[in-house]
Amino acid sequence: MNMRRRTVRLRLAEPLRISRSTTTARDAVRLSIEHRGLHGHGETVTSVYYGLDTATLMHWLDRSARTLARFADPESALAAVSRQAAGDPGGPVAPGTPPAVMAAVESALLDLVGKRAGAPVHRLLGTAAAPVAATARTIGITSPGHAATLAARLAGEGFTVLKIKAGSPDPEDDVARVRAVRATAPYVRLLLDPNGGWSSTAAPSLLGRFAELGVEAVEQPVAPGDPEALARLAARSPLPVIADEDAVGIEDARRLAGRVHGINVKLAKCGGVAAALRIARLIDGSGTSLMLGCLTASSLGIAPAVHFADRARWTDLDGHLLLAHDPWTGIGGADGTVRASSHPGLGVRPRTPFDGPRPPVPAGGPLRGGTHEGRGPS
């Protein structure tokens, strides 16, 4: 087996502002693993929050390429990925490899093994029917008027779940944004994500106010770093609290299982599908539900999670929908629903002119604050 890498620039259709940063673009590294004429593909993206720039990603992919060459076939390498997710160091990526790189290597192997077996990835994972899930669509920190306009358009296109970013310096801005969205899209389910932007003193009363506005759940209300404080907040919250930045891997999930209402699992954060499924099994029956999230990425980067999206209570797999141009296609989502393909492997392919352009996104209102490229996850 051999691996090739290529870097592409992914630009967002409009800037996405969250509590700590604004994203306009990020780099994606696509990797292709070849074995006997077939290719499997994966993708990893840069992230300032996770300390991943293009050079770092390429360094670890180069190391992974050398380790991967020791395996006779993709099936044995993929089996080793599962063992590595459980703690066995003898996998196809070097010790210390960032989880985002591990996830991309595993994605390429899943794609390749599926193609060799003539089976879609969800069947490799034990699910016969192709998963279909309503995905949330993110609305960044912006003016209430623009948020309302965007919410009305998205609801009209078929989105039944909207995720509103919060964490403005003035919490009343967050309240006004949610009210505006609720007024123009009264029947959608609302999730709220401050990305740790609320103070521990303000969070309890804010949770109460947003519960009254019909928000269904809130991700990471307070700054990460004190999971005990997050668990205490969840215990007295009037609506579900989902851990995100405080829940990176399996040990974080073990610490918070049964103590928060949900855990946001992102493949780039935990290390891939095998690691994500370990977390899902761990929290099953604990009272803590699974949320599937993502970074801003193409359909190639989002596809692995779609193949087990039916196991999640909340699905937030809209990273490809935020792009000005998605270079891949195959998982849908523009109508509010992501669908795993029944084609072998991941079931995605490079977009061609015959696929047509992505629908335009209305121009955004003025953002408060500057714009910085590639900062922070979505």
PDB file of all heavy atoms in Angstrom, residues 320-346:
ATOM      1  N   HIS A 320     -19.791  20.474   5.556  1.00  0.00           N
ATOM      2  CA  HIS A 320     -19.707  20.633   4.102  1.00  0.00           C
ATOM      3  C   HIS A 320     -20.708  21.646   3.576  1.00  0.00           C
ATOM      4  O   HIS A 320     -20.511  22.230   2.501  1.00  0.00           O
ATOM      5  CB  HIS A 320     -19.917  19.284   3.419  1.00  0.00           C
ATOM      6  CG  HIS A 320     -21.256  18.652   3.689  1.00  0.00           C
ATOM      7  ND1 HIS A 320     -21.734  18.413   4.958  1.00  0.00           N
ATOM      8  CD2 HIS A 320     -22.231  18.214   2.838  1.00  0.00           C
ATOM      9  CE1 HIS A 320     -22.931  17.853   4.892  1.00  0.00           C
ATOM     10  NE2 HIS A 320     -23.257  17.727   3.617  1.00  0.00           N
ATOM     11  N   LEU A 321     -21.795  21.864   4.323  1.00  0.00           N
ATOM     12  CA  LEU A 321     -22.829  22.790   3.884  1.00  0.00           C
ATOM     13  C   LEU A 321     -22.436  24.240   4.102  1.00  0.00           C
ATOM     14  O   LEU A 321     -23.083  25.143   3.567  1.00  0.00           O
ATOM     15  CB  LEU A 321     -24.141  22.493   4.622  1.00  0.00           C
ATOM     16  CG  LEU A 321     -24.681  21.072   4.468  1.00  0.00           C
ATOM     17  CD1 LEU A 321     -25.925  20.886   5.333  1.00  0.00           C
ATOM     18  CD2 LEU A 321     -24.987  20.763   3.011  1.00  0.00           C
ATOM     19  N   LEU A 322     -21.384  24.468   4.881  1.00  0.00           N
ATOM     20  CA  LEU A 322     -20.929  25.831   5.155  1.00  0.00           C
ATOM     21  C   LEU A 322     -19.941  26.337   4.106  1.00  0.00           C
ATOM     22  O   LEU A 322     -19.549  27.505   4.140  1.00  0.00           O
ATOM     23  CB  LEU A 322     -20.279  25.898   6.546  1.00  0.00           C
ATOM     24  CG  LEU A 322     -21.129  25.401   7.716  1.00  0.00           C
ATOM     25  CD1 LEU A 322     -20.345  25.520   9.018  1.00  0.00           C
ATOM     26  CD2 LEU A 322     -22.445  26.160   7.814  1.00  0.00           C
ATOM     27  N   LEU A 323     -19.548  25.471   3.180  1.00  0.00           N
ATOM     28  CA  LEU A 323     -18.508  25.827   2.214  1.00  0.00           C
ATOM     29  C   LEU A 323     -19.077  26.567   1.011  1.00  0.00           C
ATOM     30  O   LEU A 323     -20.205  26.313   0.571  1.00  0.00           O
ATOM     31  CB  LEU A 323     -17.792  24.567   1.725  1.00  0.00           C
ATOM     32  CG  LEU A 323     -17.098  23.715   2.790  1.00  0.00           C
ATOM     33  CD1 LEU A 323     -16.473  22.490   2.135  1.00  0.00           C
ATOM     34  CD2 LEU A 323     -16.053  24.518   3.545  1.00  0.00           C
ATOM     35  N   ALA A 324     -18.257  27.458   0.448  1.00  0.00           N
ATOM     36  CA  ALA A 324     -18.621  28.102  -0.812  1.00  0.00           C
ATOM     37  C   ALA A 324     -18.617  27.094  -1.946  1.00  0.00           C
ATOM     38  O   ALA A 324     -19.426  27.174  -2.877  1.00  0.00           O
ATOM     39  CB  ALA A 324     -17.657  29.253  -1.108  1.00  0.00           C
ATOM     40  N   HIS A 325     -17.700  26.129  -1.873  1.00  0.00           N
ATOM     41  CA  HIS A 325     -17.634  25.064  -2.875  1.00  0.00           C
ATOM     42  C   HIS A 325     -17.148  23.800  -2.187  1.00  0.00           C
ATOM     43  O   HIS A 325     -16.053  23.769  -1.628  1.00  0.00           O
ATOM     44  CB  HIS A 325     -16.683  25.433  -4.011  1.00  0.00           C
ATOM     45  CG  HIS A 325     -16.439  24.288  -4.961  1.00  0.00           C
ATOM     46  ND1 HIS A 325     -17.404  23.842  -5.845  1.00  0.00           N
ATOM     47  CD2 HIS A 325     -15.361  23.475  -5.141  1.00  0.00           C
ATOM     48  CE1 HIS A 325     -16.915  22.812  -6.536  1.00  0.00           C
ATOM     49  NE2 HIS A 325     -15.688  22.568  -6.132  1.00  0.00           N
ATOM     50  N   ASP A 326     -17.985  22.775  -2.225  1.00  0.00           N
ATOM     51  CA  ASP A 326     -17.615  21.474  -1.685  1.00  0.00           C
ATOM     52  C   ASP A 326     -17.010  20.653  -2.821  1.00  0.00           C
ATOM     53  O   ASP A 326     -17.709  20.335  -3.790  1.00  0.00           O
ATOM     54  CB  ASP A 326     -18.861  20.783  -1.138  1.00  0.00           C
ATOM     55  CG  ASP A 326     -18.570  19.437  -0.491  1.00  0.00           C
ATOM     56  OD1 ASP A 326     -17.405  18.994  -0.526  1.00  0.00           O
ATOM     57  OD2 ASP A 326     -19.524  18.828   0.048  1.00  0.00           O
ATOM     58  N   PRO A 327     -15.730  20.295  -2.723  1.00  0.00           N
ATOM     59  CA  PRO A 327     -15.113  19.561  -3.832  1.00  0.00           C
ATOM     60  C   PRO A 327     -15.551  18.102  -3.942  1.00  0.00           C
ATOM     61  O   PRO A 327     -15.167  17.412  -4.894  1.00  0.00           O
ATOM     62  CB  PRO A 327     -13.622  19.655  -3.525  1.00  0.00           C
ATOM     63  CG  PRO A 327     -13.541  19.850  -2.053  1.00  0.00           C
ATOM     64  CD  PRO A 327     -14.755  20.637  -1.674  1.00  0.00           C
ATOM     65  N   TRP A 328     -16.358  17.623  -2.983  1.00  0.00           N
ATOM     66  CA  TRP A 328     -16.845  16.250  -3.007  1.00  0.00           C
ATOM     67  C   TRP A 328     -18.369  16.247  -2.904  1.00  0.00           C
ATOM     68  O   TRP A 328     -18.976  17.237  -2.473  1.00  0.00           O
ATOM     69  CB  TRP A 328     -16.258  15.430  -1.848  1.00  0.00           C
ATOM     70  CG  TRP A 328     -14.795  15.185  -1.990  1.00  0.00           C
ATOM     71  CD1 TRP A 328     -13.787  16.081  -1.736  1.00  0.00           C
ATOM     72  CD2 TRP A 328     -14.164  13.987  -2.442  1.00  0.00           C
ATOM     73  NE1 TRP A 328     -12.573  15.509  -1.994  1.00  0.00           N
ATOM     74  CE2 TRP A 328     -12.765  14.220  -2.433  1.00  0.00           C
ATOM     75  CE3 TRP A 328     -14.624  12.747  -2.837  1.00  0.00           C
ATOM     76  CZ2 TRP A 328     -11.841  13.259  -2.810  1.00  0.00           C
ATOM     77  CZ3 TRP A 328     -13.710  11.773  -3.208  1.00  0.00           C
ATOM     78  CH2 TRP A 328     -12.339  12.033  -3.200  1.00  0.00           C
ATOM     79  N   THR A 329     -18.981  15.152  -3.280  1.00  0.00           N
ATOM     80  CA  THR A 329     -20.428  15.012  -3.186  1.00  0.00           C
ATOM     81  C   THR A 329     -20.766  13.568  -2.839  1.00  0.00           C
ATOM     82  O   THR A 329     -19.944  12.675  -3.024  1.00  0.00           O
ATOM     83  CB  THR A 329     -21.106  15.418  -4.513  1.00  0.00           C
ATOM     84  OG1 THR A 329     -22.528  15.403  -4.336  1.00  0.00           O
ATOM     85  CG2 THR A 329     -20.726  14.476  -5.652  1.00  0.00           C
ATOM     86  N   GLY A 330     -21.992  13.359  -2.315  1.00  0.00           N
ATOM     87  CA  GLY A 330     -22.392  11.983  -2.045  1.00  0.00           C
ATOM     88  C   GLY A 330     -23.133  11.738  -0.751  1.00  0.00           C
ATOM     89  O   GLY A 330     -23.624  10.631  -0.516  1.00  0.00           O
ATOM     90  N   ILE A 331     -23.237  12.770   0.140  1.00  0.00           N
ATOM     91  CA  ILE A 331     -23.935  12.555   1.414  1.00  0.00           C
ATOM     92  C   ILE A 331     -25.151  13.463   1.562  1.00  0.00           C
ATOM     93  O   ILE A 331     -25.851  13.396   2.568  1.00  0.00           O
ATOM     94  CB  ILE A 331     -22.999  12.743   2.629  1.00  0.00           C
ATOM     95  CG1 ILE A 331     -22.382  14.142   2.647  1.00  0.00           C
ATOM     96  CG2 ILE A 331     -21.930  11.670   2.654  1.00  0.00           C
ATOM     97  CD1 ILE A 331     -21.581  14.432   3.902  1.00  0.00           C
ATOM     98  N   GLY A 332     -25.413  14.314   0.584  1.00  0.00           N
ATOM     99  CA  GLY A 332     -26.580  15.184   0.659  1.00  0.00           C
ATOM    100  C   GLY A 332     -26.462  16.206   1.771  1.00  0.00           C
ATOM    101  O   GLY A 332     -25.371  16.637   2.135  1.00  0.00           O
ATOM    102  N   GLY A 333     -27.608  16.602   2.318  1.00  0.00           N
ATOM    103  CA  GLY A 333     -27.632  17.536   3.433  1.00  0.00           C
ATOM    104  C   GLY A 333     -28.253  18.876   3.104  1.00  0.00           C
ATOM    105  O   GLY A 333     -28.685  19.588   4.011  1.00  0.00           O
ATOM    106  N   ALA A 334     -28.312  19.263   1.836  1.00  0.00           N
ATOM    107  CA  ALA A 334     -28.825  20.583   1.482  1.00  0.00           C
ATOM    108  C   ALA A 334     -30.308  20.732   1.809  1.00  0.00           C
ATOM    109  O   ALA A 334     -30.809  21.854   1.918  1.00  0.00           O
ATOM    110  CB  ALA A 334     -28.579  20.867  -0.002  1.00  0.00           C
ATOM    111  N   ASP A 335     -31.008  19.621   1.963  1.00  0.00           N
ATOM    112  CA  ASP A 335     -32.420  19.661   2.334  1.00  0.00           C
ATOM    113  C   ASP A 335     -32.629  19.378   3.818  1.00  0.00           C
ATOM    114  O   ASP A 335     -33.754  19.141   4.260  1.00  0.00           O
ATOM    115  CB  ASP A 335     -33.212  18.654   1.505  1.00  0.00           C
ATOM    116  CG  ASP A 335     -32.742  17.209   1.723  1.00  0.00           C
ATOM    117  OD1 ASP A 335     -31.706  17.009   2.394  1.00  0.00           O
ATOM    118  OD2 ASP A 335     -33.413  16.277   1.230  1.00  0.00           O
ATOM    119  N   GLY A 336     -31.542  19.403   4.593  1.00  0.00           N
ATOM    120  CA  GLY A 336     -31.637  19.167   6.029  1.00  0.00           C
ATOM    121  C   GLY A 336     -31.427  17.733   6.454  1.00  0.00           C
ATOM    122  O   GLY A 336     -31.469  17.435   7.648  1.00  0.00           O
ATOM    123  N   THR A 337     -31.168  16.844   5.504  1.00  0.00           N
ATOM    124  CA  THR A 337     -30.989  15.429   5.821  1.00  0.00           C
ATOM    125  C   THR A 337     -29.711  14.906   5.178  1.00  0.00           C
ATOM    126  O   THR A 337     -29.501  15.094   3.977  1.00  0.00           O
ATOM    127  CB  THR A 337     -32.179  14.597   5.308  1.00  0.00           C
ATOM    128  OG1 THR A 337     -33.380  15.080   5.916  1.00  0.00           O
ATOM    129  CG2 THR A 337     -32.019  13.127   5.652  1.00  0.00           C
ATOM    130  N   VAL A 338     -28.844  14.284   5.982  1.00  0.00           N
ATOM    131  CA  VAL A 338     -27.666  13.611   5.437  1.00  0.00           C
ATOM    132  C   VAL A 338     -27.989  12.135   5.277  1.00  0.00           C
ATOM    133  O   VAL A 338     -28.726  11.545   6.081  1.00  0.00           O
ATOM    134  CB  VAL A 338     -26.422  13.805   6.330  1.00  0.00           C
ATOM    135  CG1 VAL A 338     -25.919  15.243   6.246  1.00  0.00           C
ATOM    136  CG2 VAL A 338     -26.692  13.426   7.777  1.00  0.00           C
ATOM    137  N   ARG A 339     -27.415  11.536   4.234  1.00  0.00           N
ATOM    138  CA  ARG A 339     -27.726  10.155   3.900  1.00  0.00           C
ATOM    139  C   ARG A 339     -26.443   9.404   3.572  1.00  0.00           C
ATOM    140  O   ARG A 339     -25.671   9.854   2.715  1.00  0.00           O
ATOM    141  CB  ARG A 339     -28.668  10.100   2.701  1.00  0.00           C
ATOM    142  CG  ARG A 339     -29.984  10.831   2.898  1.00  0.00           C
ATOM    143  CD  ARG A 339     -30.743  10.972   1.583  1.00  0.00           C
ATOM    144  NE  ARG A 339     -32.041  11.622   1.783  1.00  0.00           N
ATOM    145  CZ  ARG A 339     -32.211  12.935   1.811  1.00  0.00           C
ATOM    146  NH1 ARG A 339     -31.163  13.756   1.641  1.00  0.00           N
ATOM    147  NH2 ARG A 339     -33.422  13.445   1.995  1.00  0.00           N
ATOM    148  N   ALA A 340     -26.226   8.294   4.207  1.00  0.00           N
ATOM    149  CA  ALA A 340     -25.093   7.446   3.849  1.00  0.00           C
ATOM    150  C   ALA A 340     -25.373   6.788   2.508  1.00  0.00           C
ATOM    151  O   ALA A 340     -26.508   6.390   2.224  1.00  0.00           O
ATOM    152  CB  ALA A 340     -24.849   6.392   4.919  1.00  0.00           C
ATOM    153  N   SER A 341     -24.358   6.679   1.694  1.00  0.00           N
ATOM    154  CA  SER A 341     -24.514   6.067   0.386  1.00  0.00           C
ATOM    155  C   SER A 341     -24.530   4.545   0.503  1.00  0.00           C
ATOM    156  O   SER A 341     -23.934   3.967   1.414  1.00  0.00           O
ATOM    157  CB  SER A 341     -23.363   6.498  -0.532  1.00  0.00           C
ATOM    158  OG  SER A 341     -23.390   5.785  -1.749  1.00  0.00           O
ATOM    159  N   SER A 342     -25.214   3.898  -0.433  1.00  0.00           N
ATOM    160  CA  SER A 342     -25.193   2.436  -0.506  1.00  0.00           C
ATOM    161  C   SER A 342     -24.122   1.939  -1.460  1.00  0.00           C
ATOM    162  O   SER A 342     -23.982   0.732  -1.663  1.00  0.00           O
ATOM    163  CB  SER A 342     -26.563   1.914  -0.959  1.00  0.00           C
ATOM    164  OG  SER A 342     -26.920   2.460  -2.223  1.00  0.00           O
ATOM    165  N   HIS A 343     -23.339   2.856  -2.048  1.00  0.00           N
ATOM    166  CA  HIS A 343     -22.238   2.458  -2.915  1.00  0.00           C
ATOM    167  C   HIS A 343     -21.077   1.939  -2.067  1.00  0.00           C
ATOM    168  O   HIS A 343     -20.948   2.273  -0.882  1.00  0.00           O
ATOM    169  CB  HIS A 343     -21.788   3.634  -3.779  1.00  0.00           C
ATOM    170  CG  HIS A 343     -22.815   4.081  -4.776  1.00  0.00           C
ATOM    171  ND1 HIS A 343     -23.230   3.290  -5.816  1.00  0.00           N
ATOM    172  CD2 HIS A 343     -23.509   5.237  -4.881  1.00  0.00           C
ATOM    173  CE1 HIS A 343     -24.128   3.932  -6.528  1.00  0.00           C
ATOM    174  NE2 HIS A 343     -24.334   5.131  -5.980  1.00  0.00           N
ATOM    175  N   PRO A 344     -20.200   1.131  -2.642  1.00  0.00           N
ATOM    176  CA  PRO A 344     -19.076   0.592  -1.873  1.00  0.00           C
ATOM    177  C   PRO A 344     -18.195   1.693  -1.278  1.00  0.00           C
ATOM    178  O   PRO A 344     -17.998   2.754  -1.876  1.00  0.00           O
ATOM    179  CB  PRO A 344     -18.305  -0.238  -2.909  1.00  0.00           C
ATOM    180  CG  PRO A 344     -19.339  -0.636  -3.916  1.00  0.00           C
ATOM    181  CD  PRO A 344     -20.259   0.549  -3.999  1.00  0.00           C
ATOM    182  N   GLY A 345     -17.661   1.426  -0.102  1.00  0.00           N
ATOM    183  CA  GLY A 345     -16.802   2.393   0.582  1.00  0.00           C
ATOM    184  C   GLY A 345     -17.606   3.524   1.176  1.00  0.00           C
ATOM    185  O   GLY A 345     -18.751   3.347   1.605  1.00  0.00           O
ATOM    186  N   LEU A 346     -17.012   4.702   1.212  1.00  0.00           N
ATOM    187  CA  LEU A 346     -17.693   5.875   1.758  1.00  0.00           C
ATOM    188  C   LEU A 346     -18.819   6.354   0.859  1.00  0.00           C
ATOM    189  O   LEU A 346     -19.734   7.049   1.310  1.00  0.00           O
ATOM    190  CB  LEU A 346     -16.689   7.009   1.977  1.00  0.00           C
ATOM    191  CG  LEU A 346     -15.645   6.797   3.073  1.00  0.00           C
ATOM    192  CD1 LEU A 346     -14.633   7.932   3.063  1.00  0.00           C
ATOM    193  CD2 LEU A 346     -16.307   6.687   4.454  1.00  0.00           C
TER     194      LEU A 346
END
